[in-house]
Amino acid sequence: MHQYRSVFISDVHLGSADCQADYLLDFLDNVSCDTLYLVGDIVDLIAMQRRVHFPASHQAVVRRFMAIAASGTRVVYVPGNHDEFLRHFCGQTLAGIELKQKAIHTTADGRRFVVCHGDQFDQVVRCSPLMLLVGDRAHGLLLRLNRWFNAWRRLRRKPYWSLAAWVKSRIGKARSFIRRFELAALTAAERGHYDGFICGHIHSAGFLRSQEGLYCNDGDWVEHCTALVEQYDGKLAILHWSEQPGIIASEPLQPAPEFTGGQRPVIDVLSPAFIESINAAPK
């Protein structure tokens, strides 16, 4: 059993055919923590409006979350844009699970992080409506290819490998969008006098450190099968879980190259009202 102080997972997309529920169940059976954060898009209500897909493995994940909460682990659910309906219940506790618009997490070494899904930054990391439409359809096709590709790999007794992630990593516009998103989240946390930001939403696990803060993305359980984990000394890492689980990234000790020499990359202006909405006291 792997033991951590805190675990952050998001973008499970239960209710969609692309959810890697079996890997997640194995993860939950082999990892324990004091606090589990469910950082949005755990249930894909948007996908379920088009086609209901909720097999036994998806139901088992829901039951496992409730069992974890019943066992004494604190479970905090911060809804995202695909399970936005649950934001109506923020401030309440359902089946032992706390629902919050956002949370403030304090690590063992005293750092304070804003925790929210991350879709709030869609308004500052903008794409045209046409690009969003094309992107959504292309992403859906890519996920279907990823599903077929890994079914073929399983037949050949090969471990999971994300074709979707590999393709996106080679598209310049996707890389640019991800970096702008990271910078916006990091800037919002710094202006709110926090030590960093923890989120999901963009299906890209990773870290970005500046001189003043740390951006953390826990990834997803559709393409990457990753979680953000906090060790008992407060250090953060990204854990991949499939046939060959393991730590794939640890929080960087030095700022990223673009922050060296006192320079800071330029991003869209974040208005004071937007900063205040991101950093407002959680409820």
Side-chain angles (χ1 to χ4, degrees), residues 183 209-211 255-266:
L183 289 169
R209 182 179 288 282
S210 68
Q211 289 93 341
E258 59 258 55
F259 291 97
T260 57
Q263 300 297 314
R264 187 177 184 95
V266 176

Side-chain angles (χ1 to χ4, degrees), residues 2 23 26-27 30-31 221 224-226 239-243 245-246:
H2 301 260
Y23 289 129
D26 189 58
F27 170 83
N30 288 280
V31 170
W221 291 84
H224 301 89
C225 301
T226 53
L239 177 64
H240 166 76
W241 198 276
S242 60
E243 290 86 354

Side-chain angles (χ1 to χ4, degrees), residues 9-11 199-206 217-221 224 226-227:
I9 65 174
S10 73
D11 299 273
C199 62
H201 185 51
I202 59 172
H203 293 205
S204 181
N217 194 300
D218 57 27
D220 65 277
W221 291 84
H224 301 89
T226 53

Side-chain angles (χ1 to χ4, degrees), residues 54-69:
F54 217 83
S57 60
H58 293 209
Q59 298 171 39
V61 170
V62 175
R63 290 195 297 269
R64 190 73 180 91
F65 287 147
M66 293 189 291
I68 290 171

Side-chain angles (χ1 to χ4, degrees), residues 238-251:
I238 295 171
L239 177 64
H240 166 76
W241 198 276
S242 60
E243 290 86 354
Q244 299 174 346
I247 297 293
I248 58 172
S250 297
E251 63 172 282

Side-chain angles (χ1 to χ4, degrees), residues 36 63-75 94-98:
L36 172 62
R63 290 195 297 269
R64 190 73 180 91
F65 287 147
M66 293 189 291
I68 290 171
S71 72
T73 296
R74 184 187 181 208
V75 181
L94 302 177
I97 299 173
E98 304 172 32

Side-chain angles (χ1 to χ4, degrees), residues 94-283:
L94 302 177
I97 299 173
E98 304 172 32
L99 275 79
K100 293 179 176 290
Q101 291 279 4
K102 62 176 69 68
I104 305 301
H105 175 72
T106 303
T107 59
D109 54 6
R111 293 177 294 170
R112 297 172 67 241
F113 286 81
V114 180
V115 182
C116 72
H117 180 62
D119 59 294
Q120 296 85 347
F121 293 99
D122 284 349
Q123 61 183 286
V124 294
V125 186
R126 291 184 288 268
C127 288
S128 71
L130 177 60
M131 286 300 296
L132 286 173
L133 178 61
V134 172
D136 183 61
R137 290 180 175 174
H139 188 239
L141 173 60
L142 191 55
L143 291 179
R144 286 194 296 274
L145 291 173
N146 190 70
R147 197 161 67 240
W148 299 334
F149 177 72
N150 276 287
W152 175 80
R153 284 180 64 86
R154 283 193 296 272
L155 289 174
R156 296 175 62 86
R157 300 186 181 277
K158 292 181 178 292
Y160 178 83
W161 184 77
S162 180
L163 173 67
W166 182 84
V167 171
K168 288 197 297 183
S169 70
R170 281 153 177 78
I171 299 175
K173 287 189 177 181
R175 294 197 304 270
S176 175
F177 173 85
I178 290 170
R179 183 46 53 102
R180 288 164 63 82
F181 181 94
E182 293 170 341
L183 289 169
L186 186 54
T187 300
E190 291 173 344
R191 292 185 184 175
H193 305 290
Y194 290 98
D195 296 294
F197 206 96
I198 296 172
C199 62
H201 185 51
I202 59 172
H203 293 205
S204 181
F207 296 107
L208 180 65
R209 182 179 288 282
S210 68
Q211 289 93 341
E212 299 178 4
L214 178 67
Y215 163 91
C216 312
N217 194 300
D218 57 27
D220 65 277
W221 291 84
V222 170
E223 301 167 50
H224 301 89
C225 301
T226 53
L228 179 72
V229 296
E230 180 197 356
Q231 310 279 359
Y232 278 95
D233 62 0
K235 300 304 180 186
L236 299 166
I238 295 171
L239 177 64
H240 166 76
W241 198 276
S242 60
E243 290 86 354
Q244 299 174 346
I247 297 293
I248 58 172
S250 297
E251 63 172 282
L253 300 179
Q254 300 297 327
E258 59 258 55
F259 291 97
T260 57
Q263 300 297 314
R264 187 177 184 95
V266 176
I267 63 165
D268 292 318
V269 174
L270 303 181
S271 69
F274 179 78
I275 295 293
E276 183 178 355
S277 70
I278 291 294
N279 294 309
K283 65 177 182 177

Side-chain angles (χ1 to χ4, degrees), residues 18-80:
D18 300 299
C19 169
Q20 303 287 346
D22 291 331
Y23 289 129
L24 179 56
L25 281 170
D26 189 58
F27 170 83
L28 294 173
D29 287 341
N30 288 280
V31 170
S32 66
C33 57
D34 300 338
T35 305
L36 172 62
Y37 288 92
L38 307 176
V39 194
D41 287 3
I42 303 301
V43 179
D44 195 331
L45 298 178
I46 295 177
M48 292 177 68
Q49 288 176 351
R50 297 190 293 265
R51 175 176 175 265
V52 176
H53 178 84
F54 217 83
S57 60
H58 293 209
Q59 298 171 39
V61 170
V62 175
R63 290 195 297 269
R64 190 73 180 91
F65 287 147
M66 293 189 291
I68 290 171
S71 72
T73 296
R74 184 187 181 208
V75 181
V76 180
Y77 192 154
V78 181

